[in-house]
Amino acid sequence: MSTKPSRVYVPLEKEPYEVVIGGGGLSLIGDELIKAGFKKGSKILVVSNPDVGTPYGDICLESLTKSGFSPTLLLIKAGEDQKNNSTIELIHNAAFTAKLERSSLMIALGGGVVGDMTGFAAATWLRGIPIVQVPTTLLSMVDAAIGGKTGVNHPGGKNLIGAFHQPKLVLIDPNTLTTLPQREFRAGMAEVIKYAVIGDLPLFEFLSNLTELSNPSKIEPDVLNKILERSAATKAKIVARDERESGLRATLNYGHTFGHVVETLCGYGNYLHGEAVAIGMAAVGELAVEICNWSREDSERQRNLILKAGLSTKWPKLNIEDVFKTLQADKKVKGGKIRFIIPRAIGKVEIRNDIKREEIESSLKKLT
Ligand code: GLY
């Protein structure tokens, strides 16, 4: 690898795995699979989309073939609207044609949509074959690829169909970010800021001291590696303590409750997921200042960091009844109670489901 790889261990009780981070790592994926315990000769279905498969598919296949594997590449159409059961059927058909066996594996080479779907196809083919995640967007590098959440959308909502299926290895090659549109890079940075606020004060300070956070070509490779490594480490720690989201893992949804409202009411596609999360973090920051005594100073530090990443913090003009209808319809609502992840300090959050409608309404009014 052109930059020294770092390795983050995901210490799951049953099947721990590594997140390997290093520039140029894609060309060494074959060696990494051998290190992770896969046998030469194994059949591999690599799933990607044309945006990623065109620049990176050959690099991946060459490395796999060189290491003695037998890979096939399947390109599926790009886009959130492809995240459905018809695409899963396409992946399963390719698995059938390639004669994948229980000892075979699938590799997801792409962003969150490719990762979630390939993970789900692997979870369900032959009742479960191994999956290796090779995320190529900042968002999927720091979030979706780690932790084993896989699935597809249902006409009734996002990610309603799915399974927990942990990867055997996550390989992050930051060089793949060079072809990522800058807007998507910035949106991914929202999730990095999320990790800093929920559990990593030193990362928050590191990010705050950087002069450049929005343009990947101006961020030094070792700085980017550190950002990826720290984010992966926070996610690994949380997932290891609460793999199935019975408590702590919910903190990964910081900024997502209000973010989901923005995504839903403004139309998916108008705001990228990370852009909506950035607004959601600023909004819940205001709520935390109003009713939970979060310091105004910390809330402003968070806002400044979001702005430095080239993201907006501006709450859009929304009808308040629609906001509450959307909050109630969120799949994470339990017994009619809306759950918020509330910051108490930079690096420390708590889960609250007792916040009153008047309090939410009053803080949202302050934002508009
Ligand atoms: N993206 C949130 C989680 O993995 O739990």
Side-chain angles (χ1 to χ4, degrees):
M1 301 193 192
S2 52
T3 52
K4 191 173 172 301
S6 35
R7 291 173 183 269
V8 174
Y9 186 60
V10 186
L12 296 182
E13 222 170 277
K14 231 174 102 197
E15 289 187 86
Y17 56 94
E18 276 189 325
V19 181
V20 180
I21 304 160
L26 189 57
S27 59
L28 298 172
I29 187 168
D31 294 351
E32 288 295 340
L33 289 187
I34 302 279
K35 275 189 209 151
F38 290 103
K39 299 271 172 294
K40 286 184 187 220
S42 303
K43 290 176 208 151
I44 302 180
L45 179 64
V46 181
V47 181
S48 193
N49 64 39
D51 298 344
V52 177
T54 306
Y56 305 116
D58 283 348
I59 302 173
C60 180
L61 292 191
E62 249 170 55
S63 169
L64 294 172
T65 309
K66 212 169 108 200
S67 294
F69 294 103
S70 180
T72 312
L73 177 67
L74 169 70
L75 295 182
I76 54 176
K77 283 189 196 150
E80 182 74 29
D81 59 341
Q82 303 297 318
K83 197 175 162 183
N84 53 41
N85 274 323
S86 311
T87 310
I88 295 298
E89 200 176 327
L90 286 180
I91 302 174
H92 283 160
N93 289 345
F96 182 77
T97 308
K99 298 189 170 55
L100 293 199
E101 302 156 0
R102 283 241 168 85
S103 59
S104 310
L105 66 139
M106 292 192 197
I107 294 180
L109 174 65
V113 172
V114 166
D116 282 7
M117 278 199 295
T118 311
F120 185 56
T124 44
W125 186 248
L126 303 179
R127 297 198 176 89
I129 66 167
I131 173 77
V132 166
Q133 295 284 354
V134 185
T136 58
T137 62
L138 182 58
L139 189 72
S140 59
M141 286 176 182
V142 297
D143 188 18
I146 307 166
K149 281 190 180 174
T150 72
V152 291
N153 299 333
H154 177 270
K158 278 180 81 174
N159 298 323
L160 290 185
I161 307 164
F164 283 99
H165 190 51
Q166 296 289 346
K168 298 286 179 207
L169 169 75
V170 180
L171 187 138
I172 297 177
D173 182 344
N175 292 358
T176 58
L177 293 174
T178 51
T179 46
L180 184 72
Q182 200 169 328
R183 183 177 170 198
E184 283 195 44
F185 180 86
R186 290 192 200 122
M189 204 46 89
E191 298 279 355
V192 172
I193 295 170
K194 174 192 84 178
Y195 288 118
V197 176
I198 67 172
D200 193 344
L201 174 63
L203 175 62
F204 190 93
E205 282 166 351
F206 177 76
L207 296 171
S208 302
N209 289 331
L210 293 174
T211 44
E212 178 57 58
L213 205 52
S214 66
N215 183 347
S217 64
K218 292 192 181 150
I219 303 178
E220 292 297 324
D222 58 332
V223 169
L224 190 54
N225 270 21
K226 178 165 172 168
I227 290 172
L228 293 168
E229 190 187 327
R230 296 294 294 225
S231 302
T234 301
K235 176 126 195 200
K237 199 165 69 187
I238 292 172
V239 169
R241 284 174 59 192
D242 179 22
E243 193 178 340
R244 297 277 168 144
E245 198 166 321
S246 48
L248 182 71
R249 187 164 178 169
T251 59
L252 294 173
N253 292 316
Y254 176 56
H256 286 57
T257 307
F258 282 137
H260 174 69
V261 170
V262 173
E263 272 182 306
T264 309
L265 294 181
C266 300
Y268 284 98
N270 286 326
Y271 285 88
L272 296 178
H273 176 69
E275 291 170 342
V277 168
I279 295 170
M281 289 192 291
V284 79
E286 186 60 35
L287 182 64
V289 170
E290 288 292 314
I291 64 154
C292 303
N293 291 325
W294 194 33
S295 77
R296 173 64 67 195
E297 190 194 338
D298 275 357
S299 158
E300 282 307 309
R301 285 170 78 201
Q302 172 183 258
R303 182 182 306 281
N304 289 336
L305 192 53
I306 295 171
L307 294 173
K308 187 158 85 173
L311 293 157
S312 168
T313 57
K314 196 170 164 23
W315 185 255
K317 280 199 179 8
L318 297 172
N319 174 289
I320 197 73
E321 289 308 318
D322 292 341
V323 170
F324 278 93
K325 241 188 257 162
T326 312
L327 285 172
Q328 287 294 347
D330 194 317
K331 68 177 185 291
K332 295 196 174 74
V333 165
K334 265 198 202 143
K337 291 198 180 353
I338 302 162
R339 186 182 64 192
F340 285 98
I341 313 304
I342 298 284
R344 301 310 315 245
I346 302 282
K348 191 164 179 285
V349 287
E350 66 181 13
I351 303 172
R352 293 276 302 265
N353 63 4
D354 59 343
I355 298 175
K356 297 188 188 72
R357 177 179 166 134
E358 309 84 77
E359 294 171 325
I360 299 170
E361 215 171 311
S362 144
S363 71
L364 286 180
K365 269 199 192 120
K366 295 216 165 68
L367 294 170
T368 46

